[in-house]
Amino acid sequence: MQGYSEKEFFDKYSVRTDLALEAHQVVVEREGPPELPGVKVETVEKGQAVINRVTVENEMGARMIGKAPGYYSTIESRELRTHNREVHEELARYLAEELEWFIQQKKLGDEDPILVVGLGNWNATPDALGPRVVQNLMVTRHLLEMSPPELRHGLRPIAAISPGVLGLTGIETGEIIMGVTERIGAKAVICIDALASRSVERLCSTIQISDTGINPGAGVGNKRLAINEETLGIPVISIGVPTVVHAATIVSDAMDLLAGQKPESDVQERVPQRTTFQVDPRTIMGQQPAHQPQQPSMPEQPSLSGPQKRQLIQQVLEPYMGSMIVTPKEIDVLIDEVADIVAGALNIAFHEGVNYDQVFQYLT
Amino acid sequence: MQGYSEKEFFDKYSVRTDLALEAHQVVVEREGPPELPGVKVETVEKGQAVINRVTVENEMGARMIGKAPGYYSTIESRELRTHNREVHEELARYLAEELEWFIQQKKLGDEDPILVVGLGNWNATPDALGPRVVQNLMVTRHLLEMSPPELRHGLRPIAAISPGVLGLTGIETGEIIMGVTERIGAKAVICIDALASRSVERLCSTIQISDTGINPGAGVGNKRLAINEETLGIPVISIGVPTVVHAATIVSDAMDLLAGQKPESDVQERVPQRTTFQVDPRTIMGQQPAHQPQQPSMPEQPSLSGPQKRQLIQQVLEPYMGSMIVTPKEIDVLIDEVADIVAGALNIAFHEGVNYDQVFQYLT
Amino acid sequence: MQGYSEKEFFDKYSVRTDLALEAHQVVVEREGPPELPGVKVETVEKGQAVINRVTVENEMGARMIGKAPGYYSTIESRELRTHNREVHEELARYLAEELEWFIQQKKLGDEDPILVVGLGNWNATPDALGPRVVQNLMVTRHLLEMSPPELRHGLRPIAAISPGVLGLTGIETGEIIMGVTERIGAKAVICIDALASRSVERLCSTIQISDTGINPGAGVGNKRLAINEETLGIPVISIGVPTVVHAATIVSDAMDLLAGQKPESDVQERVPQRTTFQVDPRTIMGQQPAHQPQQPSMPEQPSLSGPQKRQLIQQVLEPYMGSMIVTPKEIDVLIDEVADIVAGALNIAFHEGVNYDQVFQYLT
Amino acid sequence: MQGYSEKEFFDKYSVRTDLALEAHQVVVEREGPPELPGVKVETVEKGQAVINRVTVENEMGARMIGKAPGYYSTIESRELRTHNREVHEELARYLAEELEWFIQQKKLGDEDPILVVGLGNWNATPDALGPRVVQNLMVTRHLLEMSPPELRHGLRPIAAISPGVLGLTGIETGEIIMGVTERIGAKAVICIDALASRSVERLCSTIQISDTGINPGAGVGNKRLAINEETLGIPVISIGVPTVVHAATIVSDAMDLLAGQKPESDVQERVPQRTTFQVDPRTIMGQQPAHQPQQPSMPEQPSLSGPQKRQLIQQVLEPYMGSMIVTPKEIDVLIDEVADIVAGALNIAFHEGVNYDQVFQYLT
């Protein structure tokens, strides 16, 4: 049905990623040249962060990088993995600014109610980002409903749910969201989800915001029903943070290296990106990490055809290729840090500068 | 609107209880005689349990005991607080039988989907019963949806959610349930909720099933919107277990005792019921608890008028009388035990004797 | 053995409290005059807080108020129950200052290792304060152990455990602490514990620091073995926050009111203190709460002797009087707020102004 | 110091495993013949399980398979991953029998106290096995301590702790255990830990019991201090269940396949073992899983030297090779199932057939 295909993208590059920025990089790296038809990329540096804005302009672009047409902003910062509160507040502010841009883009009125949805399974650490963000969110819809209409002027009602996952509820997450948005008359949905990236370097160090929703098979948990503007009838803004790499991607990387398909120089640049992940206590304390160890040189080997490679990956991980994930041992600490930042950004975007004094007088 | 009033009941007797059986007992105790117009009570003893079935036949009965017209079954057993698995299986079976009676009463078809709702706040131990039951429930709706229609013959799709509480979501729990039931076409809702009883003796030792739903102000958490057949348009069966006593009830009891409004003999019978609660390690291990200590005699005192008493209770607990709860320190252990029994009973009632073999072949 | 007795205090006043300040108030209120032999009280106002410092100078004072000889500082602020981060940072700073005073008082060297102990049961919300504080604490002992001695100059190793409760471990908490302090050579222990106060007003709005340790029966959970300097052989500083009121105290208050033992004017002052507790969403949002409702007048009644009163309390709550606790429904939210403040204060007191740069270079 | 080396084993075979059975298989597979000097293997089939008993007789054997000298029993059953309670009870009984053999082997007296230790981080799902087992354990030490000596005849005091991990406590887990065992006079320690296996097939489908303790670097979390009879001075029995595969192992497997170092026939046998993992809802419901898909044929490739392979693995995962783990998305569900079985087995081994009646009379 849809003109783009994440599956096709995986079949071609043996890489799974929920990040449009990474998908773009993979294509450019393997196919060159840097400009793909139907895909625009803009990069801005701000303090401790690099912000990339990828626009998939049309079906052509969507096919190229396996991501639906729409806007994708990515905030990257190694500081996301540190425990430095000042930098975190700075990053939360950048995220709030990007989010405000998406909200304006969707022409939402100031008083239009928004439903925030924490996707994922709260019992499984790498999938628990969404529920943890929702737990730290300031919800106001019930407060505003209790106050007289003249006082609600300019105030946005915020509601929030963590619907759980299909295996626990027996209900597609998308169905629960549809039921609740219809019932409460939400004018937009903001989904928070744990994502898969292609590189360990990006785990908990990148935040993606997009307006294309959550598509079947994306995210860490399984969703079969799309959660997007088409299915819900209202705008869907999704905020995602990679917390896992699919095992298939790691295996594919290993094979690429072994098969020596990349010239030495390229690998030198690519490898650090994939390999520098760790919870370094220095970074938790807000310090600079030490130097990177040198990469050893790599032996040259004959190349491998696409179908051969896919077959080998299947052989290592089949028959349940999609189920195995790679994640750092310390993922619980990392998710706590980034969940605080995302919740902080939402609270800023929704409530900053708002005076609730009069509203609260009508609370029982 | 409604012909009965829990508030009136509290105003009259200074007792809050979500159990119809207790409400009936309070009225009989204070007003006599044992037969109230519009209220029928039937008692059955089964193994380790006593089952009481209260029928509130009409508005007259509803006014008398402050509970909506309908059926209320209560399974009482001290063994609910023990850790004896064999007895627990027996109790789960009794609960399953009562539940099956309610399901038949509502004329549900074998294949009619049911939504189980775990009410309450999973972060607050005494309110977490519902979410804990849902966590141990076997859900099947998604499995049946994936299998071909000819295989679903006679199988009931079960879905389950834990919607959270108003303060965390900004949405009335009833609204979320309405949205989800409409969306998935549920033909009945079964709500699990932590209740308030009037006596500490009943904490985690009584399970009530009723067909009158959850009414505003009932349960441990605050609900302002009724969750019943009238609001949802489909039958609502609720299963509740008392986990707290309202502080107002304890204070009222203290004043009654002090004011000496009851003749000695009555108190001798009433007091043990209210006072024998404890997590006795013997009972956790499945042993018989030791003998009850003797009650000291009580001094006679002049009586207190209804309004005077209410005023005094308010003085001790106001202005937020409803917010303070009394619960045993060991409530976490007790709730785990009873949540296992309730989840077990639901699994028996829904799935026992069902063969899912063919259905599962259609799973991906 | 010990010259003071919390039990005697309860027998005399029918009030259980872990706060020295409250114990002092009870005695002064009932016995007058304000100056008790062997007990000194000093009050300081700082920004949003009132700091009381009670010194129990000797056995005479200890007997008077049922608290062991030593120092007790209490930081009181309604803002502890709000969600105002700026005020919370201010309060954490005051707490850190008090804590630093105790540390100096105990003549601890800058490099002396400290063990922080989160007492209580993490499964039972009202008892979970200690474990939640420990979870947010920055521990450094392992980092310092890995770095060369010359770099540890002036840095204090901090370790932390949450030992659980007797019912879960089969081991007295005090035994676990003794074993660990001996093993790691800790020079002081800081215990964090949930306390019982006499008034609901103080729940999560008061923090007590003392150097008298935790005594049998104190705190929310049961401890039979004292955790203090005498048993451990090293200084014990304890930080406690009331999260529950014993049901016996509430019942006693009700009886006092009914028996009319207090002149009207006193009650007018005392009652608000006991009764204004609630999670008001205004305060969660950092706003001022609304005005207090007026107290109704109270009927006069004949007085009640001490033994008569104790007998009545037992009748309402016996045989397991000590097991029933009174707590607000929203205790989970309140504990999260105050745990953040206590953890923040410890991190300030331990680590502020410390440069770990060189130490971290020795991490693997 | 120690004659064997897990590091050497990894260096030679590029495989990390905490299971002696797997280590033996790797060596036999790669080196042949099936009989290694100093290592004995015995296999028994019992109902739904296969029980393997590996004896590492001496330093020679220890060097061969990288595991310390001692006894290793392994209970394997696919049914460990199902939700079939009857089979689980059967498996718990087999585990209890093996455990009883180890206890007898260590010549423990019937009344000798045992400390059960739940190793690992309760916040990180794949590492939470130990704490979850401890949560379901029946502890009795405190009950026995309160009863008179003549009643304790033949009863074994059981205590249990979940000490946390180094990063959270600042204390080596081994130090905490030493401190507590000394304090309480435990005569043996039983450690429960999440392990790493070499194959996804074994995740949550194998339980290993051994008497060699936990060695540095073993398990999912990092331990630097050995927890064994040598360091504690009392017997240490460890029970472990694999919940992760190290990413390095997966990458190595991929490279082996690509390099074609194995003849086709061997791979046919080896691959299914590594690849059939999944949470199949049929197995959760206690049904038989469907047939395995056929393995595609594998292309032949030139072989790779040991050092070359290690270099490539490092390139994919360095510099933090040890930190990345591979685990199924549904690990939370799987761990819950197997934790119940392990706790059940401990309760059987410790308490079955014991009559606590008289003991409990001496409680409070």
Side-chain angles (χ1 to χ4, degrees):
Chain A
M1 288 160 294
Q2 283 170 305
Y4 70 99
S5 167
E6 296 182 15
K7 191 181 169 304
E8 277 175 36
F9 179 82
F10 177 75
D11 283 349
K12 190 158 182 193
Y13 300 108
S14 303
V15 168
R16 282 171 202 254
T17 176
D18 295 323
L19 299 175
L21 180 64
E22 277 193 343
H24 180 261
Q25 281 173 350
V26 167
V27 179
V28 168
E29 233 171 59
R30 308 246 175 126
E31 312 269 335
E35 301 208 353
L36 306 179
V39 183
K40 269 201 215 152
V41 182
E42 177 194 285
T43 302
V44 179
E45 294 202 18
K46 271 195 195 180
Q48 304 282 334
V50 176
I51 301 177
N52 283 284
R53 300 193 184 100
V54 175
T55 310
V56 179
E57 297 177 314
N58 48 38
E59 287 303 321
M60 165 77 87
R63 271 188 183 283
M64 291 295 291
I65 68 167
K67 297 290 155 207
Y71 298 97
Y72 299 83
S73 279
T74 312
I75 297 176
E76 293 177 83
S77 175
R78 291 190 173 200
E79 298 298 321
L80 276 167
R81 293 201 303 247
T82 66
H83 193 71
N84 184 329
R85 209 175 68 181
E86 277 172 44
V87 178
H88 283 194
E89 288 180 10
E90 184 193 325
L91 295 171
R93 198 156 292 277
Y94 299 156
L95 177 55
E97 286 165 11
E98 292 298 304
L99 188 56
E100 283 159 10
W101 182 86
F102 277 89
I103 290 173
Q104 281 167 21
Q105 184 75 7
K106 295 298 164 189
K107 304 201 187 331
L108 291 177
D110 282 355
E111 301 173 30
D112 285 346
I114 291 179
L115 176 68
V116 179
V117 180
L119 297 170
N121 182 350
W122 46 75
N123 292 323
T125 315
D127 200 22
L129 177 78
R132 291 203 193 177
V133 168
V134 161
Q135 193 140 25
N136 291 323
L137 201 67
M138 198 181 297
V139 297
T140 54
R141 179 176 171 272
H142 58 310
L143 306 180
L144 293 171
E145 292 228 324
M146 284 181 264
S147 61
E150 66 273 19
L151 289 181
R152 303 180 204 161
H153 185 66
L155 302 182
R156 182 188 304 288
I158 299 297
I161 56 169
S162 292
V165 292
L166 180 61
L168 295 177
T169 62
I171 313 173
E172 282 282 354
T173 310
E175 288 180 288
I176 297 177
I177 299 173
M178 278 180 218
V180 174
T181 52
E182 277 166 23
R183 192 79 222 165
I184 71 172
K187 290 282 186 275
V189 164
I190 295 181
C191 288
I192 320 295
D193 200 10
L195 302 180
S197 63
R198 68 162 296 213
S199 83
V200 295
E201 167 64 12
R202 288 198 185 278
L203 295 180
C204 294
S205 75
T206 298
I207 303 173
Q208 176 177 274
I209 315 152
S210 81
D211 63 352
T212 58
I214 305 286
N215 293 297
V220 177
N222 283 317
K223 290 120 203 159
R224 294 158 204 234
L225 184 67
I227 303 167
N228 56 32
E229 188 156 358
E230 204 178 326
T231 55
L232 295 188
I234 54 176
V236 176
I237 297 168
S238 53
I239 300 179
V241 177
T243 63
V244 304
V245 176
H246 284 290
T249 301
I250 294 278
V251 171
S252 166
D253 279 0
M255 288 177 172
D256 281 2
L257 267 182
L258 184 57
Q261 288 176 327
K262 300 283 302 177
E264 187 89 4
S265 60
D266 278 30
V267 171
Q268 289 291 13
E269 294 219 34
R270 191 160 53 87
V271 165
Q273 170 189 329
R274 189 176 56 242
T275 60
T276 56
F277 179 77
Q278 187 207 39
V279 180
D280 185 321
R282 282 157 295 195
T283 61
I284 292 282
M285 306 288 285
Q287 312 298 331
Q288 283 302 325
H291 65 286
Q292 300 296 332
Q294 284 198 327
Q295 297 302 327
S297 71
M298 205 180 53
E300 300 245 354
Q301 297 246 350
S303 80
L304 201 65
S305 81
Q308 281 177 314
K309 199 163 119 191
R310 279 199 304 285
Q311 192 189 32
L312 281 168
I313 297 173
Q314 282 176 336
Q315 219 162 332
V316 179
L317 296 170
E318 268 294 77
Y320 308 109
M321 220 164 135
S323 179
M324 300 305 292
I325 54 175
V326 181
T327 196
K329 285 175 189 171
E330 307 85 349
I331 188 65
D332 59 311
V333 177
L334 295 165
I335 281 184
D336 274 349
E337 295 288 337
V338 78
D340 279 355
I341 293 173
V342 174
L346 291 169
N347 287 334
I348 292 170
F350 294 148
H351 306 300
E352 199 170 52
V354 170
N355 187 342
Y356 288 97
D357 272 12
Q358 289 182 294
V359 172
F360 290 130
Q361 290 181 17
Y362 290 86
L363 274 181
T364 39
Chain B
M1 287 162 294
Q2 283 171 303
Y4 71 99
S5 168
E6 296 182 14
K7 193 181 168 307
E8 275 175 39
F9 179 82
F10 178 74
D11 284 349
K12 191 158 182 192
Y13 299 107
S14 303
V15 167
R16 283 173 202 254
T17 176
D18 295 322
L19 299 175
L21 179 64
E22 277 194 342
H24 179 260
Q25 282 173 349
V26 168
V27 179
V28 168
E29 234 170 57
R30 308 245 174 126
E31 312 268 337
E35 300 209 352
L36 305 180
V39 183
K40 270 201 214 150
V41 182
E42 177 195 287
T43 302
V44 179
E45 294 202 19
K46 269 196 197 179
Q48 303 282 335
V50 176
I51 300 177
N52 282 283
R53 301 195 184 100
V54 175
T55 309
V56 179
E57 297 177 314
N58 48 37
E59 286 303 320
M60 165 76 88
R63 269 188 184 285
M64 290 295 291
I65 68 166
K67 297 290 155 210
Y71 298 98
Y72 299 83
S73 278
T74 312
I75 297 176
E76 292 177 84
S77 175
R78 289 191 175 200
E79 297 298 321
L80 275 167
R81 295 201 303 249
T82 66
H83 193 72
N84 184 328
R85 209 174 69 181
E86 274 171 45
V87 178
H88 283 195
E89 288 179 10
E90 182 193 326
L91 296 171
R93 198 156 292 277
Y94 299 156
L95 177 54
E97 286 165 11
E98 293 299 304
L99 188 56
E100 282 158 11
W101 182 86
F102 278 89
I103 290 173
Q104 281 166 20
Q105 183 76 8
K106 295 297 163 189
K107 303 199 189 329
L108 290 177
D110 282 354
E111 301 174 31
D112 284 345
I114 291 181
L115 176 68
V116 178
V117 179
L119 297 171
N121 182 351
W122 45 77
N123 292 323
T125 315
D127 200 20
L129 176 78
R132 289 202 195 177
V133 168
V134 161
Q135 194 140 24
N136 292 323
L137 201 67
M138 198 181 297
V139 298
T140 53
R141 179 177 172 271
H142 57 311
L143 306 181
L144 294 171
E145 291 228 325
M146 284 181 265
S147 60
E150 66 272 20
L151 290 182
R152 303 180 204 161
H153 186 65
L155 303 182
R156 184 187 303 288
I158 298 298
I161 56 169
S162 291
V165 291
L166 180 61
L168 294 177
T169 62
I171 313 173
E172 283 283 354
T173 309
E175 289 180 287
I176 297 177
I177 299 171
M178 279 181 217
V180 174
T181 50
E182 279 167 22
R183 192 79 223 166
I184 70 172
K187 292 282 187 275
V189 164
I190 295 180
C191 288
I192 320 295
D193 201 10
L195 303 180
S197 63
R198 68 161 298 213
S199 84
V200 296
E201 168 63 13
R202 288 198 186 277
L203 296 180
C204 294
S205 75
T206 298
I207 303 173
Q208 175 177 273
I209 315 152
S210 82
D211 64 352
T212 60
I214 306 285
N215 294 296
V220 176
N222 284 317
K223 290 121 204 159
R224 293 158 205 234
L225 184 67
I227 303 166
N228 57 32
E229 186 155 358
E230 204 177 324
T231 56
L232 295 188
I234 53 177
V236 176
I237 298 167
S238 52
I239 300 179
V241 177
T243 63
V244 304
V245 176
H246 284 290
T249 301
I250 294 278
V251 171
S252 167
D253 279 1
M255 288 176 172
D256 281 3
L257 268 181
L258 185 58
Q261 288 176 327
K262 298 283 302 174
E264 187 90 3
S265 60
D266 280 29
V267 171
Q268 288 291 14
E269 294 220 31
R270 190 160 53 86
V271 165
Q273 170 189 328
R274 189 175 55 243
T275 60
T276 55
F277 178 78
Q278 187 206 40
V279 181
D280 185 320
R282 281 156 297 196
T283 62
I284 292 282
M285 306 289 286
Q287 311 298 329
Q288 283 302 323
H291 65 286
Q292 299 297 331
Q294 284 197 327
Q295 297 302 326
S297 71
M298 203 181 53
E300 301 247 351
Q301 298 246 347
S303 81
L304 200 67
S305 81
Q308 280 176 315
K309 199 165 119 190
R310 281 198 302 285
Q311 192 189 33
L312 281 168
I313 296 174
Q314 281 175 339
Q315 220 163 329
V316 178
L317 296 170
E318 268 293 76
Y320 307 108
M321 220 163 134
S323 180
M324 299 305 293
I325 53 175
V326 181
T327 196
K329 284 175 190 172
E330 306 85 350
I331 187 65
D332 59 311
V333 177
L334 295 164
I335 282 185
D336 273 349
E337 294 289 337
V338 77
D340 279 354
I341 292 172
V342 174
L346 290 169
N347 287 334
I348 292 169
F350 294 148
H351 305 300
E352 199 170 51
V354 170
N355 186 341
Y356 288 98
D357 271 12
Q358 288 182 296
V359 172
F360 289 129
Q361 291 182 17
Y362 290 85
L363 273 181
T364 38
Chain C
M1 288 160 293
Q2 284 171 303
Y4 70 99
S5 168
E6 296 183 15
K7 191 180 170 305
E8 277 176 36
F9 179 82
F10 178 75
D11 283 349
K12 189 157 183 194
Y13 300 107
S14 303
V15 167
R16 281 174 202 251
T17 176
D18 295 323
L19 299 175
L21 179 63
E22 278 193 343
H24 180 260
Q25 281 173 350
V26 167
V27 178
V28 168
E29 233 171 56
R30 308 244 174 126
E31 311 270 336
E35 302 210 350
L36 306 179
V39 183
K40 269 200 215 151
V41 182
E42 177 195 286
T43 302
V44 179
E45 293 201 19
K46 270 196 195 178
Q48 303 282 335
V50 176
I51 300 177
N52 282 284
R53 301 194 184 101
V54 175
T55 310
V56 179
E57 297 176 314
N58 48 38
E59 286 303 319
M60 164 78 86
R63 271 188 184 286
M64 290 296 291
I65 68 167
K67 297 290 155 209
Y71 298 97
Y72 299 83
S73 280
T74 313
I75 297 176
E76 293 179 81
S77 175
R78 290 192 174 201
E79 298 297 322
L80 276 167
R81 294 202 302 247
T82 66
H83 193 72
N84 184 328
R85 208 174 68 182
E86 276 172 43
V87 178
H88 283 193
E89 288 180 9
E90 183 192 325
L91 295 170
R93 198 155 292 276
Y94 299 157
L95 178 55
E97 286 164 12
E98 292 299 303
L99 188 57
E100 283 158 11
W101 183 88
F102 278 88
I103 289 173
Q104 281 167 20
Q105 184 74 10
K106 295 298 164 191
K107 304 201 188 330
L108 290 177
D110 283 354
E111 301 173 31
D112 284 346
I114 291 179
L115 176 68
V116 179
V117 180
L119 297 171
N121 182 350
W122 45 75
N123 292 323
T125 314
D127 200 21
L129 177 78
R132 290 204 195 176
V133 168
V134 161
Q135 194 140 25
N136 291 322
L137 201 67
M138 197 181 297
V139 297
T140 54
R141 179 177 171 273
H142 57 311
L143 306 182
L144 293 171
E145 291 228 326
M146 283 181 266
S147 60
E150 66 272 20
L151 290 182
R152 304 179 202 162
H153 186 64
L155 302 181
R156 184 187 301 289
I158 298 297
I161 55 169
S162 291
V165 291
L166 181 61
L168 295 177
T169 61
I171 312 172
E172 283 283 353
T173 309
E175 287 181 289
I176 297 177
I177 298 173
M178 277 181 220
V180 174
T181 51
E182 277 166 24
R183 192 80 222 164
I184 71 172
K187 291 282 186 274
V189 164
I190 295 180
C191 288
I192 320 296
D193 201 10
L195 303 180
S197 62
R198 69 162 296 213
S199 83
V200 296
E201 168 63 13
R202 288 199 186 277
L203 296 180
C204 293
S205 75
T206 297
I207 303 173
Q208 174 177 276
I209 315 151
S210 82
D211 63 352
T212 59
I214 306 286
N215 293 297
V220 176
N222 283 318
K223 289 121 204 158
R224 293 157 205 233
L225 183 68
I227 303 167
N228 56 32
E229 188 156 356
E230 205 178 325
T231 56
L232 295 189
I234 52 175
V236 176
I237 298 167
S238 53
I239 301 179
V241 178
T243 64
V244 305
V245 176
H246 284 290
T249 301
I250 294 278
V251 171
S252 167
D253 279 359
M255 288 177 173
D256 281 0
L257 268 182
L258 185 57
Q261 287 176 326
K262 298 284 301 174
E264 189 87 5
S265 60
D266 279 30
V267 171
Q268 288 292 13
E269 294 218 33
R270 192 162 53 87
V271 165
Q273 171 191 327
R274 189 175 55 244
T275 61
T276 56
F277 178 78
Q278 187 207 39
V279 179
D280 185 321
R282 281 158 298 197
T283 61
I284 291 284
M285 305 289 284
Q287 312 297 331
Q288 283 302 323
H291 64 285
Q292 301 295 331
Q294 284 198 325
Q295 298 299 328
S297 70
M298 203 180 54
E300 300 246 354
Q301 298 245 349
S303 81
L304 199 66
S305 81
Q308 281 178 314
K309 201 165 117 190
R310 280 200 302 284
Q311 192 190 33
L312 282 169
I313 296 174
Q314 282 176 338
Q315 220 162 331
V316 178
L317 296 170
E318 270 289 76
Y320 307 109
M321 219 163 134
S323 181
M324 300 304 293
I325 54 173
V326 181
T327 196
K329 284 176 191 172
E330 307 85 349
I331 188 64
D332 60 311
V333 177
L334 295 165
I335 280 185
D336 273 349
E337 295 287 337
V338 79
D340 279 355
I341 292 172
V342 175
L346 290 169
N347 287 334
I348 291 170
F350 294 147
H351 305 301
E352 200 170 51
V354 170
N355 187 342
Y356 289 97
D357 272 12
Q358 289 182 295
V359 172
F360 290 130
Q361 290 182 16
Y362 290 85
L363 273 180
T364 36
Chain D
M1 288 160 293
Q2 283 171 304
Y4 69 99
S5 168
E6 296 182 16
K7 193 181 167 304
E8 276 177 37
F9 179 81
F10 178 75
D11 284 348
K12 188 157 184 193
Y13 300 107
S14 303
V15 167
R16 282 173 202 255
T17 177
D18 295 323
L19 299 175
L21 179 64
E22 277 193 344
H24 180 261
Q25 281 173 349
V26 168
V27 179
V28 169
E29 233 171 58
R30 308 244 176 128
E31 312 270 334
E35 302 209 353
L36 305 180
V39 183
K40 270 202 215 149
V41 182
E42 176 194 287
T43 302
V44 179
E45 294 203 19
K46 271 196 195 177
Q48 303 282 334
V50 176
I51 300 177
N52 282 284
R53 300 194 184 100
V54 175
T55 309
V56 179
E57 298 176 312
N58 48 37
E59 287 302 320
M60 165 78 87
R63 270 187 185 284
M64 289 298 290
I65 68 167
K67 298 290 155 208
Y71 297 98
Y72 300 83
S73 278
T74 312
I75 297 176
E76 293 177 83
S77 175
R78 291 193 174 199
E79 298 298 320
L80 276 167
R81 294 202 303 248
T82 66
H83 193 72
N84 184 329
R85 209 174 67 182
E86 276 172 45
V87 178
H88 283 194
E89 289 180 9
E90 182 192 326
L91 295 171
R93 197 156 293 276
Y94 299 156
L95 177 55
E97 286 164 11
E98 292 298 305
L99 188 56
E100 283 158 10
W101 182 87
F102 277 90
I103 290 173
Q104 281 167 18
Q105 183 76 8
K106 296 297 164 189
K107 305 199 188 330
L108 291 176
D110 281 355
E111 301 173 31
D112 284 345
I114 291 180
L115 176 68
V116 179
V117 180
L119 297 171
N121 182 351
W122 45 76
N123 292 322
T125 315
D127 200 21
L129 176 78
R132 290 203 194 176
V133 168
V134 161
Q135 195 139 25
N136 292 325
L137 201 67
M138 199 180 296
V139 298
T140 54
R141 180 176 171 271
H142 57 310
L143 306 181
L144 293 171
E145 292 228 325
M146 283 181 267
S147 60
E150 66 271 21
L151 290 181
R152 303 180 204 161
H153 186 66
L155 302 182
R156 183 187 303 289
I158 298 297
I161 56 168
S162 291
V165 292
L166 180 62
L168 294 177
T169 61
I171 312 172
E172 282 284 350
T173 309
E175 287 180 289
I176 297 177
I177 299 172
M178 278 181 219
V180 174
T181 51
E182 276 166 24
R183 193 78 223 166
I184 70 173
K187 290 282 186 273
V189 164
I190 295 180
C191 288
I192 319 296
D193 200 10
L195 303 179
S197 63
R198 68 162 295 211
S199 83
V200 296
E201 168 63 12
R202 289 200 184 275
L203 296 180
C204 294
S205 75
T206 298
I207 302 174
Q208 176 177 274
I209 315 153
S210 81
D211 63 353
T212 59
I214 305 286
N215 292 298
V220 177
N222 283 316
K223 288 120 205 160
R224 294 159 204 233
L225 184 67
I227 302 166
N228 57 31
E229 188 156 356
E230 203 178 327
T231 56
L232 295 188
I234 52 176
V236 176
I237 298 168
S238 53
I239 301 179
V241 178
T243 63
V244 304
V245 176
H246 284 290
T249 302
I250 293 278
V251 171
S252 167
D253 280 359
M255 287 178 173
D256 281 1
L257 268 182
L258 186 57
Q261 288 175 326
K262 299 284 302 175
E264 188 88 4
S265 59
D266 279 31
V267 172
Q268 289 291 15
E269 293 221 32
R270 191 161 52 88
V271 165
Q273 170 189 331
R274 189 175 55 243
T275 61
T276 55
F277 178 78
Q278 188 208 39
V279 180
D280 185 320
R282 281 156 297 194
T283 61
I284 292 283
M285 306 289 284
Q287 312 298 329
Q288 283 301 326
H291 65 286
Q292 299 296 333
Q294 284 197 328
Q295 297 301 327
S297 71
M298 204 182 52
E300 301 244 354
Q301 298 246 349
S303 80
L304 200 66
S305 81
Q308 280 177 316
K309 199 164 120 191
R310 282 199 302 285
Q311 190 188 34
L312 282 168
I313 296 174
Q314 283 176 336
Q315 219 162 332
V316 178
L317 296 169
E318 268 292 81
Y320 308 109
M321 220 163 134
S323 180
M324 299 306 293
I325 53 174
V326 181
T327 196
K329 285 176 189 170
E330 308 85 346
I331 187 66
D332 59 310
V333 177
L334 295 165
I335 281 184
D336 273 350
E337 294 288 338
V338 77
D340 280 355
I341 292 172
V342 175
L346 291 169
N347 287 334
I348 292 169
F350 294 147
H351 305 302
E352 201 171 51
V354 170
N355 187 342
Y356 289 98
D357 271 12
Q358 289 182 293
V359 172
F360 290 130
Q361 289 181 19
Y362 290 86
L363 270 183
T364 50

